[in-house]
């Protein structure tokens, strides 16, 4: 049914007013204009819409059906306007993030908590994945936003924000290297057992590249796909691990781990990134969340070196 909205308004007002003349007065137009619009609707439907009664005009059976349609359409319009208004005030919506596991603690500890407190109607889906999985999710529009470590070039990625976050050596405060004040060299680290991500992980690739370029081999005593395992292994004093400091921020603050800089240019140039797909129009809530993550996440507060005194207990 292709009947202009304004024409339907004339019909509904006529029924509610009880006459064409009173409808015209409410609409501030000539009665002949209202009659003409009603005639056009009847022609489109092939049936009369109004009949006269003692109290004015009343709808025919077809008129009753059309009146019900008008009321439902009006209700839908009102509902849409209310939902759109709520959406624009960031009271409703849905956002999906795919992030590296190392970002989870940093993400949940404060940024997401404060964001959800401010925008309680916005639902967040947070998934973890490898660097490749993060890129695929963002490029394939499965995720609005991705958080990844160590750059991977891709023509469809927009690097919304990047922050240098060097790879550092994490270890127990009682580890024999914990008291070193200078940056640890790769030759020194090659003498100690390491707990590392499994081959194929972005951080593991960075570690492997750094040692290979230095002409050294590292001692991998443990490999895993779990950040929790890496941090527990480092706490045990049996091994140390290599991660960006933000991935163990809570353990560093609590004194369970200490971080030491590593004398490796490749490690120093590693970055954390907030990514979106090139050309994707972000919902308003998404833009607010992007700004929120930039402002509140440790991973995006640029720190080119670990403060040795602050992390050594």
């Amino acid at each position: 049914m292709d009947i202009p909205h304004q024409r339907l308004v004339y019909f509904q007002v006529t029924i509610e007013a009880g006459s064409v003349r009173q409808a015209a007065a409410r609409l501030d137009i000539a009665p002949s204009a209202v009659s003409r619009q009603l005639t056009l609707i009847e022609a489109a439907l092939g049936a009369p819409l109004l009949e006269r009664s003692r109290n004015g005009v009343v709808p025919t059976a077809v008129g009753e059906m059309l009146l019900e349609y008008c009321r439902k359409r009006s209700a839908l319009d009102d509902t849409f306007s209310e939902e759109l208004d709520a959406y624009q005030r960031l009271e409703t919506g849905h956002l999906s993030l795919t992030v590296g596991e190392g970002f989870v603690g940093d993400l949940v500890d404060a940024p997401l908590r404060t964001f959800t407190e401010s925008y309680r109607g916005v639902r967040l889906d947070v998934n973890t994945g490898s660097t490749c999985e993060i890129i695929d999710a963002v490029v394939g529009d499965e995720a609005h936003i991705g958080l990844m470590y160590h750059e991977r070039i891709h023509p469809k990625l927009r690097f919304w924000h990047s922050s240098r976050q060097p790879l550092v050596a994490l270890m127990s405060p009682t580890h024999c290297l914990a008291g070193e004040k200078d940056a640890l060299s790769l030759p020194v680290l090659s003498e100690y057992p390491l707990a590392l991500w499994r081959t194929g992980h972005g951080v593991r690739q960075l570690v492997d590249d750094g040692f290979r370029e230095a002409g050294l081999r590292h001692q991998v005593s443990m490999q895993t796909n779990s950040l929790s395992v890496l941090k527990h292994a480092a706490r045990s004093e049996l091994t140390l691990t290599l991660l960006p400091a933000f991935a163990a921020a809570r353990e560093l603050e609590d004194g369970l781990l200490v971080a030491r800089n590593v004398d490796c240019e490749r490690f120093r140039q590693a970055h954390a990134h907030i990514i979106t797909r090139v050309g994707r129009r972000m919902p308003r809530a998404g833009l607010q969340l992007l700004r929120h993550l930039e402002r509140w996440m440790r991973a995006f507060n640029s720190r080119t070196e670990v403060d040795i005194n602050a992390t050594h207990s």
Side-chain angles (χ1 to χ4, degrees):
M1 181 174 65
D2 187 17
I3 299 175
H5 175 70
Q6 190 60 38
R7 198 168 288 169
L8 294 175
V9 170
Y10 291 168
F11 165 73
Q12 187 171 355
V13 172
T14 299
I15 297 296
E16 292 170 351
S19 74
V20 169
R21 187 170 296 280
Q22 290 184 43
R26 289 188 187 182
L27 296 167
D28 195 24
I29 59 176
S32 60
V34 176
S35 296
R36 184 163 54 253
Q37 297 303 314
L38 295 176
T39 300
L40 290 171
I41 299 176
E42 290 178 333
L45 298 179
L49 298 175
L50 305 172
E51 56 188 8
R52 295 190 177 280
S53 73
R54 222 179 307 174
N55 298 319
V57 295
V58 295
T60 63
V62 173
E64 287 282 5
M65 289 188 284
L66 183 62
L67 182 61
E68 181 65 16
Y69 167 78
C70 290
R71 287 171 175 165
K72 288 180 178 178
R73 178 168 171 168
S74 179
L76 283 173
D77 287 345
D78 291 343
T79 299
F80 175 73
S81 294
E82 291 169 3
E83 291 175 349
L84 179 60
D85 186 50
Y87 177 80
Q88 291 176 333
R89 293 197 309 269
L90 304 185
E91 294 177 358
T92 62
H94 162 245
L95 294 172
S96 177
L97 295 86
T98 301
V99 307
E101 189 179 354
F103 290 93
V104 172
D106 188 10
L107 181 67
V108 175
D109 279 352
L112 287 194
R113 177 174 58 79
T114 56
F115 182 83
T116 54
E117 285 174 353
S118 299
Y119 308 110
R120 295 182 181 275
V122 178
R123 180 168 63 88
L124 297 175
D125 289 344
V126 182
N127 300 296
T128 60
S130 66
T131 302
C132 289
E133 290 169 337
I134 296 165
I135 292 172
D136 288 344
V138 171
V139 171
D141 286 343
E142 295 174 14
H144 292 91
I145 299 169
L147 304 181
M148 72 177 190
Y149 183 72
H150 188 39
E151 186 169 348
R152 293 285 180 86
I153 301 300
H154 194 289
K156 292 186 178 180
L157 287 185
R158 175 183 177 183
F159 286 81
W160 186 273
H161 183 83
S162 297
S163 174
R164 186 182 298 180
Q165 294 291 343
L167 207 58
V168 298
L170 297 174
M171 64 200 76
S172 165
T174 58
H175 192 282
C176 61
L177 294 178
E180 294 291 329
K181 299 299 182 183
D182 296 329
L184 301 175
S185 68
L186 291 185
V188 168
L189 289 178
S190 68
E191 297 174 4
Y192 292 86
L194 301 176
L196 298 176
W197 289 104
R198 290 191 183 278
T199 300
H201 191 281
V203 173
R204 175 61 182 274
Q205 186 64 52
L206 179 59
V207 172
D208 291 348
D209 290 346
F211 276 92
R212 186 182 65 255
E213 290 170 2
L216 298 167
R217 295 187 59 152
H218 42 41
Q219 297 183 40
V220 183
S221 64
M222 180 188 301
Q223 58 181 3
T224 179
N225 63 352
S226 167
L227 177 64
S228 178
V229 170
L230 289 177
K231 292 191 288 189
H232 276 83
R235 287 172 57 182
S236 73
E237 194 183 339
L238 298 176
T239 64
L240 55 82
T241 191
L242 294 163
L243 292 168
F246 68 80
R250 178 62 62 83
E251 290 81 1
L252 291 170
E253 289 172 358
D254 293 344
L256 300 173
L257 290 172
V258 295
R260 294 294 170 260
N261 294 310
V262 180
D263 186 15
C264 173
E265 186 61 23
R266 182 175 282 271
F267 290 4
R268 283 195 292 269
Q269 293 302 318
H271 284 70
H273 306 282
I274 302 176
I275 59 172
T276 59
R277 179 177 62 77
V278 170
R280 180 164 194 178
R281 296 186 64 181
M282 296 295 291
R284 288 190 65 205
L287 293 173
Q288 287 296 109
L289 181 57
L290 283 167
R291 298 185 183 105
H292 197 78
L293 298 181
E294 287 178 345
R295 190 179 307 117
W296 292 104
M297 286 188 70
R298 295 182 181 93
F300 302 107
N301 295 324
S302 295
R303 294 177 60 198
T304 57
E305 287 192 310
V306 171
D307 183 342
I308 300 297
N309 294 325
T311 60
H312 181 54
S313 59

